[in-house]
Amino acid sequence: MPRYDPQRIEPKWQAYWDERGTFTTPNAPPEDSKGKLYVLDMFPYPSGSGLHVGHPEGYTATDIICRYGRMRGKHVLHPMGWDAFGLPAEQHAIRTKTHPRTAVQENIATFRRQLKMLGFSYDWSRELSTTDENYFRWTQWIFLQLFDTWYDPECEWTGPDGKTRTGRGRPISELPIPDKVRAGGDRAVRLYQDRHRLAYISEAPVNWCPKLGTVLANEEVIDGKSERGGHPVVRIPLRQWMLRIRKYADRLLSELDAVDWPESIKLLQRNWIGRSTGAEVDFFVAGPESADSAFEAWTSARETSGFPSEPEENVLRVYTTRPDTLYGATYMVLAPEHPLVDRLTTADQRTAVDDYREQAARKSDLDRTDLAREKTGVFTGSFAINPVNSERIPIWIADYVLVSYGTGAIMAVPAHDLRDWEFAVQFELPITTVVAPPDDYQPTKEEQALDVSHDPRFSDQPGFSPRPFAGTGTAVNSGGYDGLSTQEFKQRITADLAAQGLGREAVNYRLRDWLFSRQHYWGEPFPIWHELDEAGNPTGLMRADAPEELPVRLPEEFDFTPHGRPEPPLDDAPDDWLYKTGDDGVRLKRETNSMPQWAGSCWYYLRFCDPDNSERFIDPDVENYWMPVDVYIGGVEHAVLHLLYARFWHKVLFDRGHVSTPEPFQRLVNQGMILGAPEFTGYALAETIGHASSDDEEQVVRADEVAPDAWVSVEDSATKALDSGEEARVQKSTGKRLLPVSIDPDGVEKREGRLVLKDHPSIGVESRAFKMSKSRGNIVNPDAVVADYSADALRMYEMFMGPLEQVKPWNMSGVEGVFRFLGRVWRMVVDERADELGIADAVQNAPLTADQERLLHQTIKDVTGDIEKLSFNTAISRLMEFTNVMTACDVRPRAALEPFLLLLSPFAPHIAEELWELLGHANSLAYEPWPAHDEAKLATDEVEIPVQVNGKVRARILVPAKADQAAVEQAARADETVAKNLAGKQIVKTIFVPGRMLNIVVRG
RNA sequence: GCCGAAGUGGCGGAAUUGGCAGACGCGCUGGAUUCAAAAUCCAGUGUCCGUAAAGGACGUGAGGGUUCGAGUCCCUCCUUCGGCACCA
């Protein structure tokens, strides 16, 4: 019985493609090539649990694009590889006392097997892993490029793309050295260069958890304690490598315009970069004696010197987007970590300031920025002088000011900034209104929320506005600037301050420089040495490995379990790895941080083009041919970090002349996440569930454990934040605690538009699909789907579920549906009742009937158009329609079936190849020309069109396709129902859309 | 709070961009085949009125508007999901 037998045909064709190298792609284009097409999947991390059904979603989409592309004569590059450095492998290795490479190799083998099992047309000869020496050698080489580059914001130049830009990454040897620095000697010059490199070292605060012996990411710290175990976490400064991505912020922003990405992703990146424009303004710090003379001396000195690149010791520089509110600045705030805090703190404020700074250090960034928190801060005891009105204003420190943004200091304008207002109200600092809102102004919700009309502390102040105003308006109380609009005022005062040497226009970015080092073993080592003095202490100078000395390998025989100190584990590496003596006799110690996982995935798309090159990271001609990536598909979770980091590296390589395109990924598509099957949840009063303790979140209550009167409808439930920070369900009406109850789909029905319990129809329940997760137990394993159905069915179902970009729930009976479709396709060609595998009698070398011909051409047209639009779900439904009609035909001409198999092949390549072979073709259909449709064959003689009366469809009539309005109207009036609706009415007008519809508008 | 995406049958989703709402698939109902089942095939399936006909009313999250005509365009609101969240 030759049934559709995927277990036989799928391995057969996978072996066929492998053995013949069907999808191996040489870099030289074939003679009749219609151009290159580089289609890339986002680099997977080969986790221990193998492929997830989310992976094949994007991979099937790219595979369809590639298979279609090849059949259209494109020279297709479609590679796959592994992003295999990273923490999970290291932690697994520590647990199992093995080398991470062992687990990584096993995981890669699993991933590769699973991907091959799904029949993806990758060119496996280009496979690579970030952990291959041949790969990370060049990752280190690119790092050296970053290390060797400084950013010249003034440089105007024309790139290989023909566009002229201002600002360029240039070799560090071209960095102009100021005479003052040069006078300081070789050491001073080298330190000056090191400060300007795109890769530089800085002391950055990290979350150090002594108990766990590790550094934690911000997300892993809650309430000053580690997320796991609840151990205390301290912020300590640690020597870290940073990459100066901020220098590229403007280009990362503006060059987004040129790529073909979803607008929503571009917006995410724009917001992440967060460009703002405003001004930097210098405030003179008032001495202990109210020295007006010192201030005057300073301002007049500034008039001649202009605005310096670094402020003097007794000057505070602030950044503001609202220089027009300068007259309203009534105090200043520094971040607790601001370097000037020590000097500004007076003796009697010392204890308070130190205490506050220590507290702030203990908090993670996440806690500090918790919006719900009350404002805190401490007065330093010092005063500054407002440059526009010479007023003395107090200088505070507060953690609502971040040291990493702007200059780490602000001028506080409480009347026109909500945060400053809150702080000023809290500490009873003066508030001066300097902007009048427009006449028709309605306060925003936030402004209203801060209203202090009923606060007795402020009630008796004359002319006091009881709430802040953060919008734009007209200047008041601002000296000679009164009456100006915010817009004009900003420009005027920025220019005036610049003329006086007190300020300048400034741009700021939310984007921070990229913290590029990790205190872990399993990552790329830095190709950097630190110079040591005779006592073995670092001198602060460093030198890079020469490119030909790469790769720098990890020490193999070495115990990297955490040692309880914040230094990286590599600090304990064997001496022959850790130390060497330079040619000049200087003792050197290796950099012991390692690179983050992002590093390897920043440039893999380049290496795929030329994976075996041992001379260069990529050959320039090869790069020029394949780049940019034409289609890049992956999950939204990489919308910001990976895509921003990769773009940044690419632009540095572009500036240094190593790549020819300014952007790496021309077109980006984000596949939507696949969720688990929808689940129903009801709620019941916790107190009625006998065994349930209210702390036990994990426990599942079964519906049969719930007493009939213990149910609470979803509509009467709400989530409430508990004191512990967790969230709980409570009954709205009583506030009583509720527990979720998992409900079997059979126990639920829909009544009057709401989902209710079948047994208690007054109780509403919730239906929701959740992210697949181990703890929820709703993970679908691709291996099982392939075993129970087929790879072709899995591929088709993933595409048939809905639009690629959309989030959608998994449903196993949907797989069943496409599997049945594949069975119908099989029987459309194969005689299943014969003993031997053979073609069905109905399949003949007969000419197509007119209907069959029209169907075929319509299917070709629709499927082709849908693939072009990446609308794979509708393409599949067109293939199903074809099959439904064709299987009902007693004669099924080969001339219809063969093009159909070609159309099917990108989606379900195994069955398509098998049937193609069965129809007598000796070679794979992978490079058969894609069918073309003939527009003339689509035409029909007659069309059915709807007839509307006043926009309501009253009848459908059959008319000749080319019938004119008069003919159609006549036919319409002849229809009984239409006639009835027209009877006794006056026809006002008639709308006719040829071939589509007729609408008769009547009155009376 | 701000920004973004989305709300269409019992379910996943279609709808040439303002022109027949519900393609295709799942599920369900009935039938054929079968000793029986699986598999397969055929028919039906938005809701309501009507007689399982003819015919009609309603119907794309809610309310309003534009239009001969609105799932599609405009305004107000609701819900869900995602991102950001003291960035001066």
Side-chain angles (χ1 to χ4, degrees), chain A residues 91-106:
Chain A
Q91 286 173 335
H92 180 262
I94 291 167
R95 270 199 311 278
T96 58
K97 306 256 179 249
T98 55
H99 196 279
R101 183 165 291 113
T102 317
V104 160
Q105 275 163 356
E106 282 168 19

Side-chain angles (χ1 to χ4, degrees), chain A residues 318-388:
Chain A
V318 302
Y319 170 72
T320 176
T321 54
R322 292 291 302 268
D324 62 294
T325 60
L326 202 41
Y327 284 85
T330 53
Y331 64 101
M332 303 188 77
V333 187
L334 308 191
E337 303 88 347
H338 194 285
L340 251 47
V341 173
D342 257 336
R343 203 173 319 141
L344 292 173
T345 305
T346 56
D348 47 339
Q349 290 297 103
R350 177 64 60 189
T351 326
V353 167
D354 287 352
D355 283 356
Y356 186 78
R357 294 180 85 186
E358 202 200 311
Q359 267 179 43
R362 238 180 287 137
K363 290 174 190 157
S364 72
D365 270 350
L366 226 68
D367 293 321
R368 279 182 54 171
T369 58
D370 183 356
L371 214 68
R373 253 186 69 240
E374 277 203 342
K375 295 267 183 296
T376 58
V378 177
F379 178 43
T380 61
S382 294
F383 292 84
I385 299 179
N386 187 332
V388 291

Side-chain angles (χ1 to χ4, degrees), chain A residues 638-654:
Chain A
H638 297 114
V640 178
L641 296 182
H642 160 63
L643 287 169
L644 205 60
Y645 293 156
R647 292 178 63 220
F648 164 54
W649 277 35
H650 195 84
K651 287 182 188 300
V652 176
L653 292 169
F654 179 74

Side-chain angles (χ1 to χ4, degrees), chain A residues 671-956:
Chain A
Q671 89 239 17
M673 201 190 333
I674 293 180
L675 306 175
E679 297 169 37
F680 297 100
T681 309
Y683 291 95
L685 292 168
E687 60 195 25
T688 65
I689 311 297
H691 63 272
S693 79
S694 58
D695 301 333
D696 195 353
E697 292 291 334
E698 290 303 305
Q699 75 152 23
V700 178
V701 181
R702 293 194 320 271
D704 57 18
E705 296 175 85
V706 180
D709 56 355
W711 289 107
V712 171
S713 211
V714 238
E715 294 87 351
D716 187 25
S717 80
T719 42
K720 194 182 138 195
L722 298 178
D723 295 338
S724 64
E726 283 160 62
E727 289 197 329
R729 274 274 171 180
V730 296
Q731 186 171 17
K732 266 191 210 162
S733 43
T734 64
K736 285 183 185 168
R737 187 74 187 266
L738 301 176
L739 285 179
V741 184
S742 163
I743 297 161
D744 196 83
D746 297 340
V748 174
E749 64 183 351
K750 198 156 188 176
R751 279 204 199 173
E752 285 152 19
R754 57 194 280 264
L755 281 171
V756 297
L757 285 178
K758 235 179 215 167
D759 298 338
H760 312 280
S762 64
I763 301 298
V765 300
E766 211 171 48
S767 166
R768 196 156 104 78
F770 294 89
K771 222 167 157 169
M772 289 191 188
S773 70
K774 250 183 212 155
S775 63
R776 203 165 264 282
N778 58 353
I779 291 184
V780 178
N781 181 348
D783 282 332
V785 178
V786 172
D788 292 349
Y789 301 97
S790 65
D792 283 340
L794 175 67
R795 294 170 54 118
M796 285 216 114
Y797 175 61
E798 297 225 5
M799 295 299 99
F800 189 57
M801 288 171 89
L804 183 61
E805 298 87 342
Q806 197 167 299
V807 177
K808 31 199 182 284
W810 186 270
N811 180 353
M812 206 52 93
S813 54
V815 184
E816 182 98 38
V818 290
F819 183 71
R820 287 207 286 254
F821 161 71
L822 292 172
R824 282 208 307 285
V825 170
W826 183 260
R827 289 187 300 277
M828 180 165 74
V829 179
V830 174
D831 182 2
E832 223 179 32
R833 271 163 299 195
D835 295 330
E836 297 292 318
L837 183 58
I839 298 169
D841 292 341
V843 178
Q844 296 170 18
N845 285 316
L848 279 65
T849 66
D851 283 344
Q852 287 172 340
E853 193 162 61
R854 193 162 46 245
L855 173 69
L856 175 66
H857 284 265
Q858 190 66 54
T859 305
I860 294 170
K861 182 182 179 179
D862 290 346
V863 170
T864 307
D866 286 347
I867 292 178
E868 295 279 351
K869 286 185 296 189
L870 309 188
S871 177
F872 303 122
N873 54 332
T874 52
I876 291 171
S877 65
R878 295 289 94 85
L879 294 170
M880 288 173 167
E881 280 175 313
F882 177 94
T883 309
N884 290 345
V885 174
M886 195 54 72
T887 45
C889 294
D890 295 333
V891 175
R892 303 198 278 273
R894 276 170 178 269
L897 298 183
E898 292 189 352
F900 169 81
L901 291 176
L902 296 177
L903 297 180
L904 175 69
S905 68
F907 300 88
H910 307 90
I911 192 174
E913 288 272 25
E914 180 72 14
L915 294 175
W916 183 253
E917 184 186 56
L918 208 58
L919 288 177
H921 298 278
N923 292 317
S924 161
L925 49 63
Y927 294 90
E928 282 296 315
W930 187 255
H933 80 277
D934 179 352
E935 200 68 31
K937 303 262 167 70
L938 299 176
T940 49
D941 298 337
E942 286 195 309
V943 288
E944 192 195 65
I945 69 163
V947 179
Q948 302 179 346
V949 178
N950 283 352
K952 281 191 176 22
V953 179
R954 294 299 172 181
R956 298 175 216 287

